[in-house]
Amino acid sequence: MASNILKTGRRIIAVLTILMVTGLFLDFTGTWQNLFGWMAKIQFLPAVLSLNVLVIIGLVLLTVFFGRLYCSIICPLGIMQDGFAWFGRKARKNRYSYSAPKNLLRYVMLAIMVVALIAGISSMVAILAPYSAYGRIVSSLLQPFWIWGNNLLASWAEAHDSYAFYQVEYWSKGYGVLVVALSTLVILAILAWRNGRTYCNTICPVGTVLGFFSRFAIFRIVIDRSKCVDCKLCSRNCKSACIDIPNHRIDYSRCVSCFDCIGKCNKGALSYKYVGLKSDHGDEVKQPDMDGSRRQFITTGAVIGATAVMSAADKVVDGGLATIEDKKIPKRKTRIAPPGAVSLRNLHQHCTACQLCISACPNGVLRPMTDIENFMQPESSYERGYCRPECTRCSNVCPAGAIKPIDPAEKSAIQIGHAVWVRSNCIPVTDGVECGNCARHCPTGAITMVESESGLRIPAVNTEKCIGCGACENLCPARPLSAIYVEGHENHRFI
């Protein structure tokens, strides 16, 4: 009875967790993010990168008291793997077996993560971070269907004179992120379906760190040797492959406290209880040796294809008789980091490329970088929209401290870049007609129109007042390149 309560309770919490986290990446209204944005901030690696000491201490204490519950009820990637493993168990019962821990591989992967963090190799951090991997899967593979369903519902509602829903435009953030997300999903699905928690206990650096603390868990699953009949039923249902029945040992560094084994034991030999640092026999709990027999473990590397931004469908005006050429991205000397990032260096050091800020951006400004060094981290670009001064959505949802929380008043004073006028592209110069679109829409009044030699007015930029929001670049009618664009700043400053 107690085992069923433990297992059912864990599953309920896990389902609620994955629904809340998934909603963060699907929400385009900001409502869900306002309610459950804290779920992103209690993920282990983002908490470490943002130096959220209280969360880090809380997660460590949770592990020391109850074992690796984090991996079963908080980490969305772990919960997703449990889902695939569940389908695997439906296909073939009693499918697992004990495996000696791959400690060398585990600590090598952890060392790679630490070195990548210190050296600022953000692409490696992004690939290994479990929360970020799940975010990319949702935003790249599930979000398109979510938006399609919303738009279908909005069309139906409009046909019935209801405007409770509204159409939302979806645009692909790049082939590279899609390839990585799809590869990650396929690899994890196969591993979890066949072998359960293989990824968590061999590759995941967060699992390795928490596994160190879980060895000393005060509450844990123990084996009563007097009741155990060595049937191995628990071991054959352990997705962490951590129950060694011949030696009556449990590798607590790999046990994720899913409680499946307790429910399967029909002799009552397994129980979850308070034991401190002692086993239920009063002996010090022994850990499996590092040099045991090892199963062959094969991982498939994620294929990172060449990345490109998908072009939007051609738009038409004047009843479809005239086409508007798509804008091209200007060649910037410096990338544009979103307001709140403080600097490009801070963004690169803390961002795990989870794509939450990109999913949350309502104006299509943020998109993933395509270079290998900072692959999939966000940058601002203004082909689809501009960074509205009143919007602080990305800074509110970032869990890792890569984009720090700011309010609209602060944002209006942060200079992330400055506008640069390109005379050869400007319509008054090329076509000899008045324009002034950039000056009319500049929210800070940094652009004014001055008279040129030809008598037509051309824009003049006050770089001290410009905040780099991109309104001028986005709304400039010149094609394919805007006559005015934003050059990013390495370090942001207040004006």
Side-chain angles (χ1 to χ4, degrees):
M1 180 65 180
S3 64
N4 289 333
I5 294 175
L6 286 172
K7 186 165 65 173
T8 302
R10 181 195 65 79
R11 288 180 175 177
I12 291 174
I13 296 174
V15 169
L16 292 176
T17 294
I18 201 167
L19 288 177
M20 287 188 287
V21 175
T22 302
L24 294 178
F25 293 92
L26 299 179
D27 178 32
F28 48 79
T29 66
T31 304
W32 197 266
Q33 291 153 1
N34 290 335
L35 292 173
F36 303 111
W38 56 273
M39 286 298 304
K41 293 178 171 57
I42 64 171
Q43 302 298 320
F44 189 82
L45 187 58
V48 170
L49 291 176
S50 62
L51 299 179
N52 195 330
V53 178
L54 291 178
V55 171
I56 296 171
I57 293 175
L59 294 177
V60 170
L61 289 177
L62 175 69
T63 307
V64 169
F65 273 89
F66 304 107
R68 280 175 57 181
L69 268 179
Y70 171 88
C71 301
S72 285
I73 65 172
I74 297 178
C75 177
L77 196 71
I79 298 171
M80 183 190 76
Q81 290 175 80
D82 282 348
F84 289 123
W86 182 82
F87 283 109
R89 286 199 301 271
K90 287 293 184 182
R92 181 165 63 88
K93 296 182 179 180
N94 304 325
R95 59 202 313 273
Y96 303 125
S97 61
Y98 172 76
S99 172
K102 310 293 188 295
N103 286 333
L104 179 60
L105 177 59
R106 295 165 73 183
Y107 289 114
V108 165
M109 298 308 299
L110 176 60
I112 290 174
M113 170 66 88
V114 173
V115 171
L117 285 171
I118 296 174
I121 308 175
S122 57
S123 56
M124 181 60 66
V125 176
I127 294 295
L128 294 177
Y131 163 75
S132 301
Y134 182 78
R136 289 190 295 272
I137 290 171
V138 174
S139 60
S140 299
L141 305 178
L142 187 56
Q143 189 186 58
F145 295 99
W146 180 264
I147 292 179
W148 175 79
N150 171 82
N151 291 345
L152 191 65
L153 189 59
S155 298
W156 178 86
E158 185 178 354
H160 291 78
D161 296 325
S162 173
Y163 297 92
F165 302 92
Y166 57 90
Q167 297 279 342
V168 178
E169 182 182 6
Y170 173 77
W171 59 283
S172 174
K173 313 304 189 294
Y175 292 115
V177 179
L178 179 63
V179 169
V180 171
L182 183 59
S183 301
T184 303
L185 178 65
V186 171
I187 292 171
L188 291 181
I190 293 174
L191 289 177
W193 189 85
R194 290 172 57 88
N195 302 308
R197 288 278 189 146
T198 301
Y199 170 82
C200 298
N201 288 326
T202 53
I203 302 297
C204 179
V206 174
T208 300
V209 171
L210 295 180
F212 172 80
F213 293 104
S214 67
R215 293 185 303 166
F216 311 106
I218 295 174
F219 289 88
R220 51 190 158 187
I221 299 170
V222 295
I223 302 174
D224 187 339
R225 300 186 185 188
S226 64
K227 296 181 179 179
C228 181
V229 296
D230 296 344
C231 67
K232 296 184 179 181
L233 191 60
C234 57
S235 180
R236 291 200 296 265
N237 284 276
C238 177
K239 59 197 171 197
S240 295
C242 66
I243 303 178
D244 181 9
I245 285 300
N247 294 304
H248 295 94
R249 292 177 178 174
I250 297 177
D251 182 359
Y252 295 110
S253 71
R254 291 186 289 160
C255 176
V256 295
S257 301
C258 66
F259 311 123
D260 288 347
C261 57
I262 299 178
K264 290 295 180 180
C265 181
N266 52 26
K267 302 297 182 181
L270 291 174
S271 59
Y272 183 71
K273 61 172 66 175
Y274 171 83
V275 294
L277 295 179
K278 301 292 181 178
S279 71
D280 54 340
H281 291 286
D283 302 322
E284 184 177 354
V285 176
K286 296 180 180 179
Q287 296 300 318
D289 294 331
M290 178 176 171
D291 298 322
S293 59
R294 300 174 180 271
R295 289 183 303 176
Q296 183 182 11
F297 174 64
I298 302 174
T299 57
T300 306
V303 180
I304 303 176
T307 58
V309 178
M310 293 183 67
S311 300
D314 288 341
K315 299 178 182 178
V316 296
V317 295
D318 297 339
L321 299 178
T323 61
I324 298 178
E325 188 176 2
D326 290 337
K327 276 182 177 288
K328 291 184 178 180
I329 302 175
K331 294 182 179 180
R332 312 182 204 272
K333 296 179 181 178
T334 306
R335 296 183 184 276
I336 307 172
V342 181
S343 65
L344 281 170
R345 179 183 176 85
N346 180 76
L347 179 70
H348 296 330
Q349 286 183 334
H350 291 82
C351 180
T352 62
C354 71
Q355 310 296 298
L356 183 54
C357 60
I358 296 175
S359 296
C361 180
N363 303 309
V365 170
L366 296 182
R367 62 196 60 200
M369 298 183 191
T370 57
D371 62 291
I372 296 299
E373 184 179 0
N374 304 302
F375 186 53
M376 299 186 294
Q377 290 190 342
E379 66 173 330
S380 297
S381 197
Y382 304 123
E383 293 70 55
R384 302 187 62 85
Y386 64 92
C387 195
R388 298 181 182 273
E390 71 278 5
C391 178
T392 58
R393 190 85 66 82
C394 62
S395 74
N396 293 333
V397 301
C398 178
I403 309 176
K404 300 183 183 300
I406 56 174
D407 57 39
E410 289 177 304
K411 180 178 179 179
S412 298
I414 296 176
Q415 187 180 64
I416 63 175
H418 65 276
V420 177
W421 178 57
V422 182
R423 182 184 182 91
S424 59
N425 293 342
C426 195
I427 288 178
V429 176
T430 59
D431 296 350
V433 296
E434 293 281 355
C435 180
N437 213 36
C438 53
R440 283 194 298 273
H441 293 93
C442 178
T444 63
I447 303 175
T448 56
M449 302 301 292
V450 298
E451 191 169 334
S452 66
E453 308 86 17
S454 64
L456 292 173
R457 296 187 303 165
I458 57 176
V461 180
N462 183 343
T463 56
E464 295 301 315
K465 295 177 65 176
C466 179
I467 60 174
C469 68
C472 55
E473 179 181 331
N474 175 252
L475 298 172
C476 176
R479 295 292 189 281
L481 292 171
S482 295
I484 193 165
Y485 74 96
V486 176
E487 189 64 57
H489 288 178
E490 287 275 355
N491 299 294
H492 298 174
R493 68 183 182 90
F494 283 92
I495 60 173

